[in-house]
Amino acid sequence: MKRLILLRHAKSSWDAPVSRDFDRPLSKRGHKAGKVMGRYLKAEKISWDVALVSPAARTLATVDRLELGYGAPCYALEDERLYMASTHQLLYIVRAFDDMFRSALVIGHNPGIQSLVLSLLPDTQETTRERGRIDAKYPTAALTIIDFTVNHWADIAAHAATLDRFVKPRDLKHDARTAGVEEHSHGQ
């Protein structure tokens, strides 16, 4: 079995004076959401064997906040192919993971992350509700965990995943597992 954990970067700031999209930092809300998602992952005892992150400023800052909430380093490797990657590019990257890794965390951008999730989930009556939620809105810092009954990453096929969970930061707003994250935690 293989497990894929997909995280869209936390909310970026459009007010920051940067010349390139690549350099946009996180907003205050993004700082909080990244930490909330880290606390959630820790509380749920979710871990990974390998982590890849886009080298964009907002994804690297998301990793920093995730680590703060998780209480441990992610050891995320920067992969420039993840910056604004298409569904096809993301699937290529995932299928190339070393089979020694049972689980992988990928932190990237939309629309690629959302499209990848939708392409991997089966389109059945049982998945209609969750697919609808994911298709309607895949907000910043949203997390999807999907499982595959394969032994090799290269064997991952479209519509062959099982959804473990789809979690948005808003879902955790009043969650005791993520308590203690203050509104103005961006300075930490």
Side-chain angles (χ1 to χ4, degrees):
M1 184 166 120
K2 300 295 183 190
R3 169 165 276 193
L4 184 59
I5 305 162
L6 296 163
L7 181 70
R8 182 179 175 198
H9 66 78
K11 185 162 184 61
S12 60
S13 172
W14 288 90
D15 297 331
V18 295
S19 60
R20 303 182 310 161
D21 172 76
F22 188 86
D23 298 323
R24 274 192 295 121
L26 290 184
S27 67
K28 288 180 183 179
R29 190 171 113 200
H31 281 272
K32 180 182 176 192
K35 190 173 177 185
V36 164
M37 296 312 284
R39 284 183 187 245
Y40 173 78
L41 290 167
K42 180 179 181 176
E44 291 292 303
K45 297 179 175 46
I46 297 168
S47 61
W48 46 89
D49 300 320
V50 64
L52 291 183
V53 62
S54 159
R58 59 191 177 273
T59 50
L60 295 176
T62 298
V63 169
D64 290 342
R65 300 309 293 176
L66 192 72
E67 290 175 337
L68 190 59
Y70 197 75
C74 291
Y75 300 110
L77 305 170
E78 292 180 34
D79 188 329
E80 62 188 32
R81 298 173 300 169
L82 291 175
Y83 179 66
M84 303 307 236
S86 68
T87 305
H88 178 76
Q89 290 167 314
L90 288 169
L91 188 55
Y92 178 82
I93 292 166
V94 168
R95 285 179 173 157
F97 282 133
D98 190 309
D99 287 329
M100 69 184 240
F101 302 127
R102 186 184 154 278
S103 59
L105 168 65
V106 175
I107 302 171
H109 308 267
N110 253 10
I113 293 286
Q114 178 182 26
S115 296
L116 178 63
V117 170
L118 290 170
S119 74
L120 293 173
L121 291 178
D123 193 3
T124 64
Q125 188 173 355
E126 293 82 26
T127 63
T128 298
R129 182 179 175 276
E130 288 303 315
R131 282 182 62 86
R133 284 183 63 222
I134 292 166
D135 190 34
K137 181 154 180 136
Y138 201 100
T140 52
L143 170 80
T144 302
I145 300 177
I146 50 181
D147 296 318
F148 302 89
T149 55
V150 296
N151 292 319
H152 308 285
W153 289 102
D155 294 338
I156 288 176
H159 309 294
T162 301
L163 180 66
D164 178 77
R165 69 191 78 192
F166 172 57
V167 181
K168 301 178 281 186
R170 172 176 260 174
D171 298 338
L172 304 174
K173 189 174 182 181
H174 301 291
D175 192 320
R177 294 172 292 187
T178 59
V181 181
E182 287 124 36
E183 280 297 320
H184 303 291
S185 62
H186 69 283
Q188 295 179 2

